[in-house]
Amino acid sequence: MKILLTGALLSLTFSLNAQTPQPVPLARGNTPGEPHHHLKIENEYVRAYYVEVPPHQATQLHQHDHDYIYVSLGTADVVNAILNKPEIHLQLKDGETHFTRGGFAHIARNLADTPFRNVTIELLKSQGDAHNLCAQVMMSDPPGRCDKLVEPEVALEPQFDTAGCRLEVWKVSPRTDVTLYANKKAHLIVVLDSEIRVAEKGKPLKTLHEGEMIWTDAATDAQLTNEKSKTGSFLNITLKDTAAP
C-alpha cells in the first residue's frame, strides 16, 4: 500500500508540473513572442515594446531576461503574477514609471474595464548600481536627490539613474522647441501626453503621439517641438554606454 501511495503522489506531482506552461520569450528580430508586447525599436542597447492588454484579459506567461523600465499609459489596475512568487496587486497612475531587474517570468492580468497599456523598454546592457532621483522608479527604495531644472518654457525632472542609463521627464510649454543634444550619447524618447515633432539632420520630420517612441543618434542633435496648445511631456532615456564614431 505504501509503495502504491508513493507512486500515486509522484504521478500527481509530474502531472501538475506538466500542466505548467513554459514561459514564452518577448519578440526579437523577426521572431514573434508574447502577443500583447509589440516590438517597436530594437538595437544592441534596447528592445522597446508597446504593450496593450484588453479589459479583464491577461498576457501569456512570459520571460524577462533583462532589466527593464516600464511606463503606464493611463491608469491601470493589474495583478503581477510572478512565477513561483506571491501575486502583487498594482494600481498605477498615468505616466507612472518603474524599473525592474530581469531574470523572471510573469503574467500581467488586467482587472479594469479599460485596456492596460504601457511602454516596456528592455535594457540589453548591464545596468549595474541603480538609484532613484526625483521619483520612486525603483520601488524598493525611496526617492533620492532631486535636482530639477525649471525654465520659463521647459522643466526637466531627473527620475532615475543607473550605471548604464539616466531617465528624465521633460515638460514643454505649448508650441515650444527644445534641443536634445547628443553629446556622444543616444536617447530613447517616449511621448506621454503630447504631440511631439522630431527633427534630426538628414532625416524626415516625424510626429509622435502618446505611447510612440523614437531612437535618436549618438552623433546628431534632435529638435523636439510640442505641437499641442497645452504643456506636454515625454520621457528621455539617455544610454550612457553609447558613443558616436
Side-chain angles (χ1 to χ4, degrees):
M1 177 66 73
K2 184 176 180 180
I3 293 174
L4 292 175
L5 181 59
T6 302
L9 289 174
L10 287 173
S11 176
L12 177 59
T13 301
F14 176 81
S15 176
L16 290 174
N17 288 339
Q19 291 174 10
T20 302
Q22 291 296 311
V24 298
L26 297 182
R28 57 188 66 184
N30 294 320
T31 304
E34 203 290 316
H36 300 87
H37 289 70
H38 307 281
L39 182 62
K40 298 297 183 181
I41 294 174
E42 182 178 29
N43 54 42
E44 65 179 297
Y45 301 100
V46 301
R47 291 192 192 99
Y49 303 85
Y50 171 75
V51 181
E52 183 164 338
V53 182
H56 306 291
Q57 294 190 28
T59 65
Q60 295 178 2
L61 178 67
H62 60 279
Q63 182 73 28
H64 286 280
D65 291 321
H66 302 280
D67 298 347
Y68 67 93
I69 293 168
Y70 70 90
V71 54
S72 180
L73 302 172
T75 59
D77 188 4
V78 295
V79 169
N80 181 16
I82 300 174
L83 186 63
N84 299 323
K85 290 189 177 181
E87 294 183 350
I88 302 171
H89 184 198
L90 298 173
Q91 292 180 308
L92 303 172
K93 299 176 182 177
D94 184 27
E96 190 169 338
T97 305
H98 292 294
F99 171 81
T100 302
R101 295 289 188 185
F104 69 95
H106 75 149
I107 293 170
R109 294 203 308 270
N110 182 9
L111 304 182
D113 296 328
T114 54
F116 167 47
R117 301 184 303 127
N118 75 36
V119 168
T120 292
I121 301 147
E122 285 204 316
L123 303 163
L124 305 184
K125 303 292 185 180
S126 174
Q127 295 304 299
D129 292 338
H131 58 276
N132 292 326
L133 297 173
C134 292
Q136 195 172 11
V137 175
M138 189 163 53
M139 297 177 74
S140 58
D141 293 334
R145 179 173 175 174
C146 184
D147 295 324
K148 297 181 183 180
L149 174 63
V150 180
E151 296 184 352
E153 295 185 322
V154 179
L156 188 160
E157 185 176 289
Q159 303 281 292
F160 177 72
D161 196 67
T162 77
C165 75
R166 183 178 178 88
L167 172 66
E168 301 165 339
V169 170
W170 289 52
K171 296 181 179 179
V172 183
S173 295
R175 315 298 182 190
T176 297
D177 299 332
V178 296
T179 300
L180 191 65
Y181 293 102
N183 292 328
K184 297 185 178 180
K185 305 296 181 188
H187 302 265
L188 179 64
I189 305 300
V190 181
V191 177
L192 298 180
D193 57 356
S194 188
E195 188 174 292
I196 300 293
R197 187 182 67 206
V198 182
E200 293 182 90
K201 186 177 180 180
K203 296 183 179 181
L205 289 174
K206 188 168 186 177
T207 299
L208 305 179
H209 303 87
E210 181 197 46
E212 294 183 330
M213 61 199 88
I214 193 170
W215 177 268
T216 67
D217 285 340
T220 308
D221 298 341
Q223 181 176 286
L224 309 177
T225 305
N226 177 14
E227 302 242 273
K228 285 203 168 182
S229 57
K230 63 178 183 178
T231 298
S233 60
F234 62 87
L235 289 183
N236 171 33
I237 302 175
T238 303
L239 284 302
K240 296 180 181 180
D241 49 5
T242 54

